[in-house]
Amino acid sequence: MTDTDFVTATRTFYDSVAEDYAEQFRDGLAGAPLDRAMIAGFAELVGSGGTVADLGCGPGRVTGYLASLGLFVFGLDLSESMLAIARRENPGLRFEQGSMLELDLPDGALAGAVSYYSSIHTPVDQLPRLFAEFHRVLAPGGHLLVAFQAGDKDRHHERPWGRPVALTFLRRRPEQMVGLLLGAGFALVSQMVREPGPEEVSQQAFLIARRP
């Protein structure tokens, strides 16, 4: 699968299911105290004053939560349908369309970056490129939060909510992701793996890394 193939497939999938997805996961953070704790820890590490990017922001729920913690944050996503929801629900925040693999940002522009379940459609051979791009746009001392489903068995979704689309959600081993982050020049700050919640089928992993 080429860059264009997986990027286009991801955009098409989320454009089709955006409203269904946003409704299904409307209260996701409300019932996830450990997830919120990792986000709050990330926010405190970043501090105030710098710009934070929520990369692959979807409907903007994490973007809004980061803003509520006092961060100057904007969201970026491939899907214009997801961005329409994000703008509707967070009228005071900025949301832009774009690809995480080719960020329209100068080197060292960000104090923090978040990839909250947004790397899960990037093929493993493209993850070094993705993490190198995150490293490029972070200022020295900047922090990165990466969240993803942990495991070895990918999950394929065919016609979700009856929509005529399909996409594979890629599982990763935490140690694999840590190795890739270290290879991209990051230093690991923290990692958490929690057990699945009532409506989840896999462990959930959260990594915080720092650009030295």
Side-chain angles (χ1 to χ4, degrees):
M1 182 177 284
T2 67
D3 290 4
T4 302
D5 288 338
F6 82 82
V7 170
T8 299
T10 302
R11 180 189 298 113
T12 299
F13 180 88
Y14 284 105
D15 275 342
S16 178
V17 305
E19 293 290 348
D20 303 294
Y21 179 98
E23 182 60 31
Q24 174 84 21
F25 300 106
R26 178 169 299 280
D27 299 320
L29 282 177
L34 296 177
D35 303 14
R36 295 198 310 274
M38 288 296 283
I39 297 172
F42 164 81
E44 189 166 343
L45 287 168
V46 170
S48 59
T51 301
V52 175
D54 183 8
L55 302 172
C57 65
R61 306 280 163 66
V62 172
T63 324
Y65 188 63
L66 290 165
S68 76
L69 296 173
L71 297 183
F72 180 70
V73 60
F74 73 94
L76 177 138
D77 203 86
L78 284 172
S79 167
E80 187 56 48
S81 296
M82 283 290 198
L83 290 169
I85 297 169
R87 294 178 183 124
R88 183 179 74 212
E89 297 189 356
N90 303 275
L93 299 180
R94 174 166 62 100
F95 293 94
E96 301 176 356
Q97 187 173 29
S99 169
M100 298 187 300
L101 289 164
E102 297 178 348
L103 295 169
D104 187 18
L105 292 167
D107 296 356
L110 301 177
V114 174
S115 173
Y116 203 80
Y117 296 93
S118 59
S119 67
I120 62 174
H121 308 302
T122 302
V124 66
D125 63 345
Q126 292 295 316
L127 288 177
R129 174 186 170 190
L130 180 67
F131 292 160
E133 184 70 345
F134 291 169
H135 188 276
R136 180 187 71 80
V137 298
L138 279 169
H143 286 82
L144 170 70
L145 169 64
V146 181
F148 54 97
Q149 292 100 346
D152 299 306
K153 187 176 181 181
D154 299 335
R155 190 175 187 191
H156 187 71
H157 290 265
E158 189 85 30
R159 296 186 62 85
W161 298 286
R163 306 295 182 182
V165 290
L167 195 64
T168 299
F169 289 59
L170 304 169
R171 305 292 195 253
R172 322 283 193 192
R173 299 303 309 170
E175 58 270 23
Q176 174 192 24
M177 296 290 273
V178 169
L180 290 167
L181 288 169
L182 296 178
F186 286 99
L188 184 65
V189 175
S190 179
Q191 59 181 312
M192 178 186 77
V193 178
R194 66 164 175 80
E195 294 306 305
E199 297 183 7
E200 296 169 337
V201 296
S202 63
Q203 293 178 321
Q204 310 296 308
F206 300 80
L207 306 176
I208 297 177
R210 179 180 177 272
R211 177 179 174 179

